[in-house]
Amino acid sequence: MKQRLRDTLSELMMIPGLSGHEDRVRRYLRARLDDLGIASRSDRLGNLIATIEGDPEAPSVMLFAHMDQLGFVVRKVEADGFLRVERLGGVPERALPSQAVLLCVGEGRDLPGVLANKSHHATTPEEKYRVVPYSELYIDIGLASADAVEAAGVRIGTPVIYRPQVIALADDRLAGTSVDDRAGCAAILELAGMLKEKQGLANLHLVFSVQEEFNLRGALPAAQVLQPDIAIQLDLILATDAPDMGGRGDVALGGGPAISLYSFHGRGTLNGVIPHPAMVRLFEETARAESLPLQRSAHIGALTDLSYVQHIGEGVASIDLGFPIRYSHSSLEVCDLNDLEGLVRLLAAALAQIDRNFSLDRDDHS
Ligand SMILES: [Zn+2]
């Protein structure tokens, strides 16, 4: 399973899919579902939805991960061919100069570029420790005039992403672009292959969602149509075992998958997820019974679509489940394939527990 996860994730990380431009990722995922004999459909926003039919009397489950990644869009083409960009998503400005980027003109026509870093020999002492805001940065694609840029297909609105890359680190760890959340997509694909034959489970809706990095609501239309009783989002959980993360928590890379007990944005958006107690109990008891590791996370500063999905209908029993990640939103995010494998095994075992007797009544869990 680990090798398959490595291959799938590596392929997914190499496919460009800026928020709102997820089509290439969706085509890949649809083809993989087709190979498994699982029918899928997409909605008007671009969400890819597949349903594995089960017991209609059991609470239905929507399991989802987002296909999109953060990046930029071209804001202005300068007369001398340099490009200015607008940011899309939580792009860390500290880590942008000197990055290789890809201008997504169209499949087979994409252009490489460089986010320029001012020549070191011309950098003043005051500039040396200053973070350059993205609005001052520019991209060099090697063309020297606005006309040449236009002829190459680059226009205002062209998507720009970190140049896709995958680096195999030691000990089953992968570094590269858009581990967030292609790792979640890879985990769902793996699980789909395991669950498609199993009967007696609840209706399981697999959703690969759009625009999470943009506005955290791309999965909403899918959830509104599916009206699930339970929603589980697979996405990153911040690993706190890097030297600069001390004190933030107890999540170790390689320590297994994790559940979030509390998330809140904390920067203006009054939203977050406090998971349903039945879901916390389900994953904790399953991990114990299967002798699988399960870590716990609680922190402010990050949200997922689940914050919005939980509020549809009469409320959805929700939980964020995920894989530890280091260096989130940088061009080189790091995850551990053992955590992904643990995540798939835990999910497969937990979903098998959701039958018609599975209660979401709050009073049964107080
Ligand atoms: Zn994410």
Side-chain angles (χ1 to χ4, degrees), residues 23 43 49 55 66 87 101 107-108 116 130 141 144 180 214 223 351 363:
D23 312 84
D43 66 15
I49 303 165
D55 180 359
H66 65 92
R87 64 195 286 225
V101 293
E107 217 156 352
R130 173 175 168 260
I141 59 172
D180 168 16
F214 175 50
L351 291 173
D363 290 331

Side-chain angles (χ1 to χ4, degrees), residues 66 180-181 212-213 235-236:
H66 65 92
D180 168 16
D181 187 21
E212 195 266 0
E213 303 289 1
D235 207 339
L236 66 88

Side-chain angles (χ1 to χ4, degrees), residues 27-40 189:
R27 281 199 289 276
Y28 171 90
L29 290 167
R30 174 177 285 158
R32 291 290 304 267
L33 289 171
D34 286 347
D35 290 345
L36 291 169
I38 298 173
S40 59
L189 266 188

Side-chain angles (χ1 to χ4, degrees), residues 65-66 68 179-182 212-213 216 233-236 303-304 323 325 329 333:
H66 65 92
D68 62 305
V179 170
D180 168 16
D181 187 21
R182 304 296 163 74
E212 195 266 0
E213 303 289 1
L216 295 164
Q233 175 146 14
L234 301 189
D235 207 339
L236 66 88
L303 286 185
T304 65
F323 50 89
I325 197 171
H329 286 195
E333 299 173 324

Side-chain angles (χ1 to χ4, degrees), residues 20-299:
H21 304 269
E22 301 88 353
D23 312 84
R24 295 189 219 178
V25 185
R26 186 177 54 253
R27 281 199 289 276
Y28 171 90
L29 290 167
R30 174 177 285 158
R32 291 290 304 267
L33 289 171
D34 286 347
D35 290 345
L36 291 169
I38 298 173
S40 59
R41 63 189 188 279
S42 54
D43 66 15
R44 210 169 286 148
L45 224 54
N47 293 300
L48 182 66
I49 303 165
T51 296
I52 298 176
E53 300 281 350
D55 180 359
E57 299 297 315
S60 63
V61 179
M62 171 171 148
L63 177 67
F64 66 113
H66 65 92
M67 294 185 279
D68 62 305
Q69 68 195 100
L70 50 80
F72 315 85
V73 292
V74 173
R75 181 181 79 224
K76 180 173 170 44
V77 180
E78 302 282 7
D80 47 13
F82 292 113
L83 309 176
R84 302 286 186 177
V85 289
E86 203 55 78
R87 64 195 286 225
L88 200 175
V91 172
E93 286 161 294
R94 229 156 58 100
L96 295 182
S98 288
Q99 290 295 336
V101 293
L102 189 71
L103 286 99
C104 303
V105 176
E107 217 156 352
R109 291 177 290 131
D110 293 339
L111 294 171
V114 173
L115 266 165
N117 187 37
K118 183 173 180 180
S119 287
H120 185 69
H121 301 84
T123 301
T124 64
E126 300 76 60
E127 286 172 330
K128 209 168 158 190
Y129 295 105
R130 173 175 168 260
V131 174
V132 181
Y134 77 89
S135 54
E136 293 177 26
L137 291 174
Y138 57 92
I139 290 176
D140 186 343
I141 59 172
L143 296 172
S145 74
D147 286 347
V149 169
E150 171 143 16
V154 175
R155 310 177 66 192
I156 289 170
T158 294
V160 183
I161 56 170
Y162 297 131
R163 184 191 63 189
Q165 58 181 320
V166 182
I167 301 170
L169 302 181
D171 282 347
D172 293 326
R173 292 175 175 184
L174 281 189
T177 37
S178 60
V179 170
D180 168 16
D181 187 21
R182 304 296 163 74
C185 295
I188 292 183
L189 266 188
E190 183 67 28
L191 194 75
M194 293 168 72
L195 295 184
K196 64 170 179 165
E197 306 293 343
K198 295 216 174 144
Q199 299 298 320
L201 302 181
N203 274 326
L204 176 62
H205 307 290
L206 307 176
V207 177
F208 300 94
S209 67
V210 294
Q211 301 193 19
E212 195 266 0
E213 303 289 1
F214 175 50
N215 64 11
L216 295 164
R217 293 162 183 79
L220 258 186
Q224 276 158 350
V225 167
L226 298 170
Q227 293 287 317
D229 300 302
I230 292 170
I232 303 167
Q233 175 146 14
L234 301 189
D235 207 339
L236 66 88
I237 300 276
L238 286 188
T240 57
D241 59 346
D244 48 7
M245 294 288 283
R248 286 198 65 125
D250 256 333
V251 176
L253 191 72
I259 47 172
S260 168
L261 282 305
Y262 175 65
S263 70
F264 186 71
H265 193 236
R267 292 193 296 273
T269 309
L270 292 177
N271 217 337
V273 173
I274 299 166
H276 192 287
M279 303 312 297
V280 175
R281 184 189 287 181
L282 170 69
F283 284 108
E284 292 202 309
E285 288 183 353
T286 305
R288 209 172 298 126
E290 303 284 324
S291 301
L292 291 166
L294 179 62
Q295 308 190 80
R296 292 164 70 93
S297 166
H299 79 93

